Amino acid sequence: QVQLVESGGGLVQPGGSLRLSCAASGSIFSINAMDWYRQAPGKERELVAQVMDGGGTNYADSVKGRFTISRNNAKSTVYLQMNSLKPEDTAVYYCHADVIQFNKRSYTYWGQGTQVTVSS
């Protein structure tokens, strides 16, 4: 089994910054993509940012230029630096990982979610 543990959410004023972290642990041979999704009340879960094992990244148009995703492969950890936050960024943020376990099969895992609230 694999666990994803997120941290770093909270309440921030518009224009402020937060940094989310997600650490993976357990039966991990390697990790392909690591992603951040978010889900606002009444809305579907959406992909915010993705980082591949080689370092390539993808971002939702709504966060380009404001959010930066990165990862530390040695620590099996992914980060999301969020700057210039807007009220519409308010959501529960979920970590997601595509993990290759020691049986060389791929499994996907989700974190428990961390609340980000942007409000004055």
Side-chain angles (χ1 to χ4, degrees):
Q1 267 291 27
V2 172
Q3 296 78 40
L4 301 180
V5 178
E6 300 137 337
S7 60
L11 172 65
V12 64
Q13 292 187 343
S17 298
L18 281 175
R19 188 189 193 214
L20 305 183
S21 299
C22 172
S25 63
S27 179
I28 300 171
F29 176 75
S30 64
I31 304 177
N32 290 333
M34 300 188 80
D35 322 300
W36 288 97
Y37 284 74
R38 67 186 180 188
Q39 187 166 19
K43 295 188 176 182
E44 293 188 355
R45 190 171 297 188
E46 62 173 355
L47 177 65
V48 175
Q50 178 183 68
V51 59
M52 307 304 292
D53 56 354
T57 58
N58 293 297
Y59 295 93
D61 288 342
S62 59
V63 306
K64 282 181 181 177
R66 300 188 299 121
F67 291 11
T68 302
I69 190 170
S70 61
R71 65 190 280 174
N72 183 324
N73 290 330
K75 295 183 178 181
S76 298
T77 300
V78 62
Y79 307 95
L80 185 68
Q81 177 67 43
M82 304 185 293
N83 299 328
S84 302
L85 281 160
K86 305 175 181 180
E88 51 263 43
D89 294 317
T90 296
V92 178
Y93 283 69
Y94 296 92
C95 177
H96 172 265
D98 178 15
V99 177
I100 307 298
Q101 297 194 222
F102 290 103
N103 61 5
K104 303 303 173 67
R105 298 181 67 178
S106 174
Y107 302 85
T108 60
Y109 292 93
W110 291 91
Q112 78 284 0
T114 185
Q115 178 69 47
V116 171
T117 303
V118 184
S119 175
S120 55

